[in-house]
Amino acid sequence: MIIPYRIKVDLIVDVPVLGRLTLPLEKRGEIPIPKKPNVDVEKIKFQKFSLEETVAILHVRLENMNDFDLGLNDLDCEVWLCDVSIGKAEISDSIKLDKNGSGLVNVPMTFRPKDFGSALWDMIRGKGTGYTIKGNVDVDTPFGAMKLPIIKEGGETRLKKEDDDDEE
């Protein structure tokens, strides 16, 4: 939200010889109260998959809920799969999120699937598994640079074949 404000003050000064003077002061402006962006992992594209080391690209959608544009400069986050942290990721790509719009960010990540046990087997068997993503984004706003939190809890993901064209 953008909240307009107006401050009006009368400064009274007692000056020798001239007496009491009143100096009216007024300031107008806007105070930004940004909403944190909505975040969702649309899909994970595996570049290399093994139980020892998996390299993947997370396709993360960020939705700007504000009435002003955001310039995304940096994103750092941690991802959990079935309440087990699979790792941290960070990017420094710059994208513009239009007011009330969204954008897609590709976040590279390396992790060890054998470290998160039963969640992996649920995904391999085709069952969905819950995920959480938490972190921060550094953004440029009309009011200067800001660091905003991002969080998505209770998301659901599952494995699918490359030619599987449903939208999950």
Side-chain angles (χ1 to χ4, degrees):
M1 293 189 311
I2 299 173
I3 299 176
Y5 71 87
R6 178 177 154 197
I7 299 173
K8 191 173 181 179
V9 177
D10 288 333
L11 182 62
I12 301 171
V13 180
D14 196 6
V15 179
V17 179
L18 296 175
R20 213 175 216 189
L21 294 176
T22 302
L23 302 169
L25 302 171
E26 185 174 325
K27 172 78 175 163
R28 294 173 186 250
E30 296 177 325
I31 298 173
I33 301 182
K35 295 179 184 174
K36 62 185 178 182
N38 282 345
V39 63
D40 200 8
V41 177
E42 283 196 351
K43 67 180 176 179
I44 301 172
K45 182 94 171 173
F46 293 99
Q47 294 181 326
K48 173 187 166 194
F49 187 85
S50 75
L51 291 177
E52 288 300 318
E53 181 180 76
T54 295
V55 178
I57 303 293
L58 279 62
H59 297 264
V60 177
R61 176 147 318 268
L62 292 168
E63 184 180 1
N64 182 4
M65 306 299 291
N66 297 292
D67 289 330
F68 49 86
D69 295 344
L70 294 177
L72 177 70
N73 298 322
D74 186 45
L75 177 140
D76 63 278
C77 62
E78 187 168 0
V79 179
W80 287 267
L81 196 57
C82 263
D83 298 325
V84 176
S85 175
I86 64 169
K88 294 182 179 189
E90 186 173 335
I91 62 158
S92 298
D93 290 349
S94 294
I95 66 167
K96 180 182 174 191
L97 298 174
D98 293 328
K99 67 178 183 178
N100 300 310
S102 66
L104 194 63
V105 179
N106 295 327
V107 180
M109 183 170 219
T110 302
F111 56 93
R112 295 167 41 116
K114 73 178 190 174
D115 291 344
F116 53 96
S118 66
L120 174 65
W121 302 117
D122 286 346
M123 289 174 58
I124 290 172
R125 289 193 317 241
K127 293 182 178 178
T129 188
Y131 72 87
T132 299
I133 183 169
K134 293 181 184 178
N136 296 293
V137 290
D138 290 328
V139 293
D140 288 329
T141 72
F143 308 97
M146 295 183 179
K147 188 170 203 152
L148 301 175
I150 56 170
I151 186 167
K152 170 73 174 196
E153 293 180 303
E156 179 130 342
T157 187
R158 66 179 178 87
L159 288 178
K160 64 179 181 175
K161 295 178 186 174
E162 182 72 36
D163 61 350
D164 192 356
D165 62 357
D166 66 354
E167 293 300 316
E168 276 187 62

